[in-house]
Amino acid sequence: MKSSARGSRCAIRRRRARNWSTLRRRAMLLEGCSRSTSSGRTHAPSVKPDDVPTVAAARAARANMLEPGRKFTFFVHEQALWLPVGGMEVWREQLAHLLRMSVRKYISLRVVPRSAGMHAGTAGDFRMMKFPKYPPVVYVESVNYCLFFDDADTIKINDDILTALAALALTEEESRAVIDNILEGSDDRLA
């Protein structure tokens, strides 16, 4: 998921999550990553079962950053929305959560359609953070590391990627319609 954050706050605050359902939903997602699929194949877990509560709590704490006073733009590839990670129940809740969050004035959720084919965003996930008093920063995260870049060349390359994605992505309303259609179609998968 690509994101761009702008706002009047300059520090990233960390708080402990207080919403148990959010923690449980994230834990279910992480646990579901290591379950068997309908074809009988087992996916190699990216998170050990003993670490699920800790990782889920950390992800929930990061989600607390999505509060008014900041502007967030997320670019999500349509194909990612079709992956039922964590089982059907968790997947449907994730899609419903995206719909709920997408109507907030400070959040822009834009779907990059599958029909776009290869595009600038396929190079990898990153976050571009822009602040009123400080230079922009690009944040890249992986399973066992995270990196911050503040050099002008990296900022420009990633800013160009975001500009290209903005030109390619569906509007906010079209994006909500895609998610809604996936949710409606998932009812047939449950039957």
Side-chain angles (χ1 to χ4, degrees), residues 80-142:
L81 298 172
W82 281 97
L83 297 173
V85 177
M88 295 298 283
E89 180 185 336
V90 174
W91 173 56
R92 289 180 53 76
E93 176 53 33
Q94 289 172 330
L95 293 173
H97 181 70
L98 288 175
L99 283 176
R100 287 190 300 271
M101 296 299 285
S102 72
V103 296
R104 297 182 182 195
K105 293 182 191 273
Y106 57 95
I107 294 177
S108 174
L109 178 63
R110 309 266 313 274
V111 172
V112 178
R114 290 187 289 189
S115 61
M118 190 72 163
H119 56 81
T122 57
D125 182 34
F126 68 91
R127 284 127 185 106
M128 170 79 74
M129 296 178 275
K130 296 183 178 180
F131 308 95
K133 296 181 182 180
Y134 302 100
V137 176
V138 170
Y139 173 76
V140 180
E141 180 180 0
S142 184

Side-chain angles (χ1 to χ4, degrees), residues 31-45 83-87 189:
E31 290 168 0
C33 290
S34 63
R35 291 187 188 141
S36 296
T37 64
S38 58
S39 65
R41 288 181 283 157
T42 302
H43 294 280
L83 297 173
V85 177
R189 294 173 110 183

